[in-house]
Amino acid sequence: MRYGRHDHFEELISASLGGELTDAERTELDAHLDTCDACRATLAAFADQRRIVSGLRHVGAPRDLGARVRAGIEGGAFAAVPWWRRPAVLFAGVGGGLAAVAGALLALVVLNAVPDEQVGDATARPTPSVSVAATQSPPPIETAPPSATPAATTTPTPEATPEPPVELPAEPDVYLAYTGPFDNLVLTLRDGVSGETLHELPVQGPPVAAELSPNGQFLAFTTRRGQSGLHDVWVIHLPSGTVSSGAVPPIETDLAEWETVELGESMAGSELLEHMAWSPNSRWLAFTRADVDGAGTDAWLFDASTGATQQLTTDGVGYAASWIPVASEPSQLWISVAGDEPTSELVVVDESNPAECCGTTIGTLPVFQPLISPTGSHVIYWRGVMAQQGAEWAFVEGGAPYIADVQVVAGATELVNERPLFSDVTIDRDAFVSAGIEWGADGDAYAVWRVEWAGIPQGSQGEYPAANRVYFGHAGDERELTEDHAIDAADIPEDASVVDVKVTTTRHLLVTASEPVGGVMDAPVARLLLVTRNTGNVADEVAQIRADVEGGWFGPPAYDADPRSGRD
Amino acid sequence: VQSIVVPAGAGWRTRPVTHREATAREAEFARLFEEFSTPIYNYVLRMVGDHDRAADVTQDTFIKAYRKLDTISEAASTRSWLYRIATNTAIDDMRRRRMVSSMDDTSPAFANRADERPGPEAQAMAATLDERVQRALLTLRPNHRQCLLLSDLEDMSAQQIGEVMGLSYAAVRTLLCRARGEMRQALAAEGFSR
C-alpha cells in the first residue's frame, strides 16, 4: 500500500464517502482536489469501490436457520433441562414479516406446545380438595396472635432450650460469579474458599440472590435480565460432595446432577418480593413472583424431589415468608397476604401429595412476612398499611419491621415482647416501605439492608434510615437497631448498591455490592465483601473476595445449614 | 387446630407450571432474529466467503445473542452489539480454519495464496462480478475487510463501526482509509480498472 504526502487527503476522501467530514475538512479537501490529479483519481476509485461493495448481491438466509438456532439453544442453554420444562415460545413474538423463516419457527412453536398439553394446566386438573386440618397430622406447634401490647412484664419460659450459638466460618460454602468479556459473560458456581469454578451454569444474567438448601443439595438463585426489570428464578441440583452438610440428609430427587430448572420469571422488586425460603427438610422452596402484566404478586412452591413448580396463591396478593424451623413432617409455611391489613397464614404442606400439597391453613397472624430465626427463638415481621405499587405491594403508612420472642408453653406457641426493629425511628404515619432482612445461622445475629424509608430522615449523622447502608443487629441486644448499628459507610464502595447480604457469624457479614451500570459494552460489576464488624471507634475490616480479578460480578454467596461444613 | 380458612384476599390451588406464556425475553429475541438474521447472514457471508460457513457462523451468532440477551441495555446499540458478536464469531471461525492468526495480524491474510490462483485476466474471464469482488474482499486483512463491509455493505457510520470493533472514531477513519487502499489494489488484481 502506498503511503505518502497524500495520506491525509486520502483519509479525508475515504471519510467523505460516508458523509463524515466536518465543514473545515470539506473545505480543505475541496481545495486540494482542485489541484491534485492523484487524489481526484483516488476519490473516483474509492467511490466506485463503495458502489461495488454496496451493490453486492443480497441473498436470503437459509430457510432452516431459525430451526438451527432453536436447536442450538436447546442443545446448549437448556441442555440440562428436561424437554417438558423448556420454554415453549422461543419465537412466539415473531410478527408477520418473518417471511423465509416463518414456517420453520411456526413449526417450532407447535412442536413445543405439545409438551405443555401433556403436562396439563390448571383447567385440566381437578380443583384441589380443601381438607380440614383434622385430616392432617397435628402440627407440632400452634401459633396464637401476638399480644397487642409489648409484653414487657411477660417473662418467657420456653420449654425448648434454644440451641447454643454456633460460630460459623466466615467464608461461604459457595458463591456465584458472572465474569468474562461483555459478549461472552459466563455464570459460574465457585468454591467459597478457593474460588475454584465448580460448574458453568447454563443461564445468563448477573445473579442477585442465592440460597442453598439446608442439606446443600440444591442452590436456588435469581438472575437479573439486563435492564428489562425482569428476574428469573432458578434451582440447580448440586452433585453429592459439592457442598457437604451433615446437618440435614439428602433427599431423593428426579433431577439429574447439575440439572438446572427454571422456576419462572418475575418483575424485579423490593426485598419483600425477592425473598426465597427453603424448607428445613430441603424439599421445598417457597418464593414470590410479581406478574409481568401487573396482576400482582403470588407465592410459589418448588418441589426439589420432582422438579415441579406450583402456584400457591392466585389473587395477586400472596408472598412467601418462612418455614417453621422444625424438620419434621409435614412442613409448615407462612404465606403472607398483602393489603390494607396484611396477614399471614400458616399452611401445612402435604408431603405425600405434592400435586395438591397446600390446601390446609392452620393459623393466621395479623403480621406480614414473618421471618423466623433458624433456632426458632425469634421472629421478625412487618406491620402497617400496604398498597399495590406497580407490580408489587409496599408499605405506605405506619409500615415497620418488628421483632418478637417466641414462647412455647404447654404446647402452645406465642409471640411475645414485640418491639420495633429500629428502636430510634419514629414511625407515626410514615413508613418503612420495604427492606431486606436476613438471619444468621446462630439465630441471634441479623442484618437489614436496602431499607426504603418514606419519611423525613431522622439521622443525626447523615441520612437515616438509609438505603445504601447495612444495619447489623442481634436479637439479644435490647437496643435492637439504631443509627449506630449501621456498618461503616466506607465498607461499601461509593455509588455501589447493596444487592445481597448474608450473616456469616456474630461479627461477619458478606455483602454483594454492585457498581453502577456502565456503557452498553460494559460487563456488570459487583464486589463480594467480607465485612468484620467492629464497634466503637474501631473501623470495620473489609476484605474483597477475588480482589485479584479486575471487574466481574462476584456474589451472592450461599451457605447450607451446617455451619462447619465446606466443600469436600 | 383450626379448620382451613381461605381468606378473601388469597386462595390456594395447585397446578403445574407450564411455560406457555410468551416471555419478554423470547419476544425480544424473535424481533432480533426477524430484523437481523438476513443482514447478519449476508455480512458474515462476505466475511468468510462461503455459504455453509456463513450459515454456521450466523447460527452461532444468534445462539450467543440469545444467551447474552440480558446484556443489552440500550435498544439503539442492539445492532452494534449483534454485529460485534457476529464479527467475533466469524473471526473465531476463520482462526479455527487457520485463515488468520490474529486480528492484529499485520500481513495480508492471503498473502501466500495469491500465487496459487489464476492470473487476473483469467479470473476475470471466468467469474461473475460478484465472485470477483468476493475474492478481492477475501484478500484483505480481516480487520480491513470487517471495517470495509461495515461501512460500505452495512452503511454504518464511523461511530457505529467503532462500537462494533471497539475502536475510537479517529481509529476507524484511519483503518477505513487503509482498507479502501488495500481493496483498490485487490480489485485491480481482479481486473477492475481505476
Side-chain angles (χ1 to χ4, degrees):
Chain A
M1 182 167 177
R2 174 177 55 85
Y3 291 103
R5 66 186 181 87
H6 295 285
D7 287 354
H8 169 64
F9 293 107
E10 286 190 355
E11 188 169 320
L12 293 182
I13 291 167
S14 172
S16 72
L17 299 178
E20 304 270 359
L21 293 185
T22 64
D23 290 345
E25 287 174 328
R26 166 57 63 188
T27 302
E28 181 187 9
L29 177 61
D30 287 346
H32 178 75
L33 288 174
D34 285 343
T35 62
C36 181
D37 291 341
C39 284
R40 279 200 299 274
T42 298
L43 173 61
F46 282 6
D48 280 352
Q49 182 188 114
R50 181 175 170 86
R51 180 178 50 76
I52 290 170
V53 172
S54 64
L56 280 169
R57 189 162 48 92
H58 219 57
V59 298
R63 293 181 61 84
D64 65 346
L65 183 61
R68 291 172 59 174
V69 170
R70 171 73 189 196
I73 289 171
E74 293 189 352
F78 299 106
V81 183
W83 58 269
W84 53 272
R85 276 191 219 117
R86 290 174 199 154
V89 286
L90 178 59
F91 295 101
V94 175
L98 192 52
V101 294
L105 299 185
L106 179 62
L108 287 164
V109 173
V110 172
L111 183 67
N112 280 280
V114 174
D116 284 350
E117 295 299 330
Q118 292 173 343
V119 172
D121 60 17
T123 60
R125 286 180 166 268
T127 303
S129 60
V130 177
S131 56
V132 296
T135 63
Q136 302 285 338
S137 302
I141 59 173
E142 296 178 30
T143 305
S147 52
T149 55
T153 57
T154 302
T155 304
T157 54
E159 287 183 344
T161 304
E163 294 180 16
V166 292
E167 189 71 11
L168 282 162
E171 297 84 0
D173 288 332
V174 292
Y175 63 87
L176 293 166
Y178 191 54
T179 56
F182 92 100
D183 59 351
N184 193 29
L185 287 162
V186 177
L187 182 63
T188 51
L189 181 69
R190 308 287 184 98
D191 179 82
V193 177
S194 69
E196 167 196 0
T197 296
L198 304 175
H199 189 67
E200 185 174 320
L201 299 164
V203 299
Q204 286 296 316
V208 294
E211 297 289 345
L212 264 175
S213 62
N215 64 2
Q217 192 176 4
F218 306 94
L219 177 71
F221 61 98
T222 301
T223 52
R224 180 183 296 165
R225 197 185 296 172
Q227 303 299 308
S228 65
L230 292 172
H231 283 178
D232 294 296
V233 186
W234 313 82
V235 167
I236 185 169
H237 176 209
L238 308 182
S240 174
T242 306
V243 177
S244 68
S245 174
V248 182
I251 66 168
E252 291 186 9
T253 177
D254 295 338
L255 301 179
E257 291 187 344
W258 295 122
E259 183 171 355
T260 305
V261 182
E262 182 175 6
L263 275 54
E265 66 177 4
S266 173
M267 294 301 296
S270 70
E271 293 296 334
L272 300 176
L273 174 68
E274 296 181 6
H275 175 73
M276 297 188 290
W278 283 101
S279 64
N281 62 6
S282 296
R283 177 171 174 179
W284 310 92
L285 176 78
F287 61 103
T288 309
R289 289 172 58 186
D291 185 78
V292 297
D293 296 323
T297 59
D298 281 298
W300 292 68
L301 195 63
F302 171 73
D303 184 351
S305 69
T306 64
T309 304
Q310 53 189 303
Q311 189 171 354
L312 293 180
T313 68
T314 57
D315 289 346
V317 294
Y319 277 78
S322 64
W323 299 82
I324 299 295
V326 178
S328 61
E329 296 184 353
S331 299
Q332 296 176 322
L333 171 67
W334 282 109
I335 295 177
S336 295
V337 182
D340 286 349
E341 297 180 2
T343 59
S344 295
E345 310 205 351
L346 186 58
V347 177
V348 174
V349 176
D350 186 348
E351 314 272 7
S352 63
N353 188 9
E356 299 178 4
C357 66
C358 312
T360 303
T361 300
I362 58 171
T364 61
L365 280 180
V367 303
F368 185 81
Q369 206 166 57
L371 304 178
I372 304 171
S373 69
T375 55
S377 54
H378 302 88
V379 58
I380 296 173
Y381 49 77
W382 292 76
R383 287 185 184 275
V385 178
M386 301 182 81
Q388 190 164 9
Q389 293 186 347
E392 61 176 333
W393 290 77
F395 286 93
V396 293
E397 183 177 331
Y402 294 81
I403 186 169
D405 304 323
V406 177
Q407 179 176 313
V408 182
V409 179
T413 303
E414 289 185 56
L415 307 185
V416 298
N417 196 22
E418 177 189 86
R419 60 269 190 199
L421 195 60
F422 286 84
S423 60
D424 60 348
V425 174
T426 301
I427 308 298
D428 199 17
R429 295 179 67 86
D430 292 329
F432 284 90
V433 176
S434 64
I437 298 172
E438 178 87 8
W439 280 104
D442 63 3
D444 181 57
Y446 59 86
V448 181
W449 76 98
R450 237 180 113 188
V451 176
E452 192 176 350
W453 168 248
I456 298 172
Q458 300 186 13
S460 60
Q461 306 157 29
E463 184 181 351
Y464 175 71
N468 62 345
R469 301 292 291 275
V470 177
Y471 300 91
F472 191 19
H474 296 81
D477 183 350
E478 293 180 350
R479 297 174 300 165
E480 299 310 331
L481 295 179
T482 68
E483 192 174 6
D484 292 333
H485 285 78
I487 65 173
D488 296 348
D491 293 351
I492 298 168
E494 193 175 4
D495 295 327
S497 300
V498 176
V499 172
D500 178 84
V501 175
K502 294 288 191 301
V503 180
T504 67
T505 73
T506 55
R507 280 188 63 211
H508 295 87
L509 296 170
L510 269 168
V511 178
T512 303
S514 67
E515 303 281 353
V517 176
V520 64
M521 300 295 185
D522 293 335
V525 174
R527 304 174 199 229
L528 183 51
L529 306 169
L530 175 58
V531 178
T532 303
R533 178 71 174 136
N534 291 316
T535 56
N537 295 325
V538 181
D540 298 343
E541 299 159 48
V542 181
Q544 182 178 338
I545 292 181
R546 296 316 307 265
D548 57 320
V549 177
E550 184 74 22
W553 181 291
F554 294 95
Y559 294 89
D560 64 13
D562 183 352
R564 293 178 185 81
S565 77
R567 223 166 55 79
D568 283 344
Chain B
V1 178
Q2 296 176 307
S3 299
I4 184 170
V5 176
V6 179
W12 3 103
R13 59 172 182 155
T14 62
R15 72 169 173 87
V17 171
T18 70
H19 293 287
R20 186 173 293 166
E21 302 157 2
T23 64
R25 179 188 180 91
E26 273 64 62
E28 170 64 9
F29 183 71
R31 186 191 67 75
L32 276 185
F33 189 87
E34 179 181 7
E35 183 175 352
F36 291 111
S37 57
T38 297
I40 289 284
Y41 174 75
N42 276 272
Y43 166 65
V44 171
L45 175 63
R46 300 306 174 182
M47 280 287 287
V48 303
D50 178 90
H51 285 274
D52 289 340
R53 287 174 54 202
D56 289 345
V57 169
T58 307
Q59 171 189 334
D60 289 349
T61 296
F62 279 97
I63 291 171
K64 289 178 182 177
Y66 179 82
R67 294 173 182 167
K68 318 294 181 191
L69 204 56
D70 43 26
T71 64
I72 304 177
S73 58
E74 293 178 21
S77 299
T78 299
R79 185 176 181 227
S80 300
W81 173 81
L82 203 52
Y83 273 85
R84 183 166 184 169
I85 295 175
T87 299
N88 291 340
T89 306
I91 295 295
D92 286 345
D93 176 80
M94 290 187 284
R95 203 173 272 151
R96 279 199 302 272
R97 293 167 190 271
R98 300 173 185 273
M99 290 179 65
V100 293
S101 57
S102 164
M103 274 298 291
D104 300 324
D105 200 347
T106 54
S107 61
F110 287 81
N112 298 325
R113 296 179 59 183
D115 292 343
E116 300 170 9
R117 300 181 303 170
E121 284 135 1
Q123 288 182 57
M125 293 286 290
T128 66
L129 182 142
D130 194 278
E131 290 169 339
R132 290 158 60 201
V133 175
Q134 181 65 55
R135 265 203 312 261
L137 279 169
L138 289 175
T139 66
L140 303 188
R141 294 175 178 86
N143 57 342
H144 284 182
R145 193 185 325 153
Q146 173 187 356
C147 190
L148 192 70
L149 287 171
L150 291 174
S151 170
D152 293 353
L153 186 69
E154 304 301 326
D155 200 26
M156 285 189 182
S157 67
Q159 179 73 33
Q160 290 170 318
I161 295 170
E163 288 178 7
V164 174
M165 300 183 69
L167 297 174
S168 68
Y169 177 83
V172 169
R173 280 180 45 155
T174 301
L175 186 66
L176 184 57
C177 180
R178 291 178 179 172
R180 292 194 196 285
E182 192 178 1
M183 185 65 172
R184 186 181 182 182
Q185 293 185 329
L187 287 175
E190 289 290 341
F192 289 85
S193 58
R194 293 209 210 243

